[in-house]
Amino acid sequence: MKKSIKDLGDIKGKVALVRVDVNVPLDENKNVTDDTRIQAIVPTVNYLKDKGAKIVLMAHLGRPKGEKNPEFSLAPVAKYMSKVFGEEIVFIPSVEEAKPYVDKLVDGQIALLENIRFYKAEEAKDDDMTFAEELAKLGDFYVNDAFGAAHRNHTSTAKLAKILKPAVSGLLMEKEIRCLSQALDNPERPFTAVVGGAKVSSKIGVLENLLDKVDNMIIGGGMAYTFVKANGGKIGNSICEDDQLDVAKAIEKKAQEKGVKLVMATDVLATDDFSGNGTNKFVKIDEIPDGFEGVDAGPESRKAFAEVLKSSKTILMNGPVGAFENPKFAEGTKAVLEAIVEATKAGATSVIGGGDSVSAAKKFFKAEDFTHVSTGGGASLEFIEGKVLPGVAALDDK
């Protein structure tokens, strides 16, 4: 276990240098269109505030590639955060100019540093610690609350934690690690994983790692067609990775050896026009006609998925089971999420991990309907694969 801000002693008057993830979407007028990530850091910031610390937040926005590009400035985010916290957030225009701003902060005051990715040294792959040392001068201790960037071995997410001590996790980071670890390492059984998304290749690590842990695995989404083709089925024009057919067979074999029940779609919604405006019809998954592609789980599959999910005590979802972005192809993913919500109400632990599953969960339900909705796409994916996350590893152990 890693130390968190709750393990710190008296921090009144001390400067907390806090890495957060406020990489939020902005519209053309630079208005925040989804503040989920900002809301997620509120508990940590308020905790530090209540303890009388001076708070300097570091974050990135987009991919400015080490250039100072006003397009990616965090100034509009600071303005929006001022509304969220009900006080003016001090905006620090650059690392070079930061010290006087930090020195002027009073206890409990919050500042946000301009986009840390404006500096090439932030994402540098070398061992040079010069930039980390420069940042370390701004704080008395380090807090990482940016789970969404924890899989990055960057200066502000990992290197800094080796220099500025104590280096602890924020409340969001702590919750992410706790919920994901609990689901993976100490699940109440039966434990079911829903693995979806387009490609087997991007989920091999996830599938392999989960087969050692779960009782049931539901495989849906585009990757299912690679399994179907590997078993000689007809998949029409469905997405398929021909170079992964052997991998699909190996995963089936491993599941059998481990006694893991693989639950595959048996029927799908197939279309001859991905926009949804052509002919859409339900067919058996291994009998998709030429010119058609599978885009969603069919009614039989939805029922089978729901039965397994409702009888589960721990559920981890990583990836949707259809092209849910189009409302015409969203029913399968919605049905899976509905079953997870019902299971959660009945006492199951449900964790929604990563990118598209989170978008789907938020599209059809509220975050409160699940035990935990992860804020990190790539980070939760790597965590579920069993990889070490640099931003977590660099923090102090309890």
Side-chain angles (χ1 to χ4, degrees):
M1 285 299 290
K2 295 293 179 182
K3 281 189 178 170
S4 87
I5 49 176
K6 290 186 259 179
D7 298 307
L8 296 169
D10 181 15
I11 52 173
K12 189 171 163 45
K14 297 258 185 3
V15 180
L17 197 51
V18 191
R19 179 59 159 98
V20 292
D21 181 8
V22 290
N23 187 20
V24 292
L26 302 170
D27 64 17
E28 59 280 2
N29 301 317
K30 297 293 179 207
N31 294 313
V32 174
T33 55
D34 178 356
D35 72 350
T36 308
R37 286 177 167 167
I38 293 172
Q39 296 296 344
I41 65 164
V42 170
T44 293
V45 176
N46 282 342
Y47 180 93
L48 292 166
K49 208 177 153 50
D50 295 344
K51 297 283 181 197
K54 300 166 182 181
I55 302 144
V56 178
L57 305 175
M58 299 176 289
H60 73 277
L61 184 69
R63 300 186 177 206
K65 303 196 164 86
E67 305 289 330
K68 295 191 177 182
N69 183 343
E71 181 64 24
F72 296 105
S73 173
L74 277 167
V77 179
K79 199 170 135 196
Y80 184 90
M81 285 168 69
S82 300
K83 281 191 286 206
V84 172
F85 287 100
E87 63 179 271
E88 196 190 338
I89 304 290
V90 177
F91 184 65
I92 304 176
S94 73
V95 172
E96 294 81 3
E97 302 165 80
K99 198 79 178 94
Y101 284 91
V102 176
D103 291 343
K104 280 196 201 118
L105 293 175
V106 298
D107 295 0
Q109 200 174 9
I110 310 161
L112 174 65
L113 191 59
E114 178 60 286
N115 195 335
I116 199 77
R117 286 192 186 167
F118 280 0
Y119 299 87
K120 277 203 170 39
E122 162 66 3
E123 299 179 71
K125 298 272 193 284
D126 54 36
D127 296 328
D128 188 354
M129 296 298 242
T130 319
F131 188 48
E133 282 157 7
E134 202 177 328
L135 289 172
K137 289 177 192 156
L138 302 176
D140 295 311
F141 62 96
Y142 172 78
V143 180
N144 194 344
D145 208 30
F147 181 73
H151 58 312
R152 306 278 184 214
N153 193 8
H154 292 168
T155 297
S156 67
T157 56
K159 287 183 185 174
L160 186 53
K162 293 171 185 161
I163 297 177
L164 187 56
K165 297 289 183 186
V168 299
S169 70
L171 302 176
L172 171 65
M173 177 74 95
E174 186 183 39
K175 184 183 180 209
E176 289 274 10
I177 298 168
R178 185 180 68 242
C179 291
L180 286 165
S181 299
Q182 206 174 340
L184 291 169
D185 303 330
N186 192 16
E188 202 183 330
R189 298 193 177 276
F191 176 14
T192 300
V194 181
V195 185
K199 294 179 171 181
V200 174
S201 55
S202 63
K203 295 281 171 89
I204 294 171
V206 168
L207 293 163
E208 291 271 353
N209 195 34
L210 288 175
L211 281 176
D212 292 328
K213 301 173 186 292
V214 301
D215 302 296
N216 311 298
M217 185 181 281
I218 294 171
I219 292 182
M223 70 161 76
Y225 306 107
T226 301
F227 284 86
V228 176
K229 187 169 178 179
N231 287 301
K234 291 175 65 175
I235 59 166
N237 293 12
S238 305
I239 184 170
C240 178
E241 294 176 286
D242 289 330
D243 60 342
Q244 299 290 326
L245 298 177
D246 292 345
V247 173
K249 292 298 282 182
I251 286 165
E252 287 180 353
K253 187 167 176 262
K254 185 175 174 181
Q256 206 178 346
E257 287 164 3
K258 296 264 178 196
V260 174
K261 184 181 174 190
L262 271 193
V263 188
M264 297 275 188
T266 49
D267 63 338
V268 288
L269 178 64
T271 185
D272 59 359
D273 179 357
F274 197 70
S275 71
N277 300 323
T279 304
N280 303 326
K281 59 182 181 181
F282 291 114
V283 295
K284 284 199 161 32
I285 196 166
D286 53 0
E287 292 175 13
I288 301 172
D290 291 340
F292 279 77
E293 59 180 313
V295 284
D296 194 15
E300 277 175 34
S301 307
R302 293 169 201 171
K303 209 172 135 200
F305 293 168
E307 273 172 25
V308 174
L309 290 165
K310 287 180 195 170
S311 64
S312 302
K313 288 280 176 229
T314 303
I315 299 164
L316 175 66
M317 180 175 179
N318 189 269
V321 298
F324 74 94
E325 295 83 356
N326 184 332
K328 291 180 181 172
F329 307 149
E331 291 305 313
T333 300
K334 190 175 172 186
V336 164
L337 286 161
E338 211 162 282
I340 295 174
V341 169
E342 273 187 54
T344 310
K345 280 186 188 144
T349 297
S350 57
V351 177
I352 309 291
D356 289 340
S357 351
V358 173
S359 314
K362 289 202 300 217
K363 187 171 183 170
F364 304 117
F365 296 97
K366 294 195 295 290
E368 303 78 78
D369 295 326
F370 308 93
T371 310
H372 180 63
V373 177
S374 181
T375 55
S380 54
L381 189 67
E382 290 194 17
F383 196 97
I384 296 164
E385 283 181 35
K387 289 185 180 169
V388 172
L389 305 183
V392 177
L395 301 174
D396 299 347
D397 291 318
K398 276 205 186 205

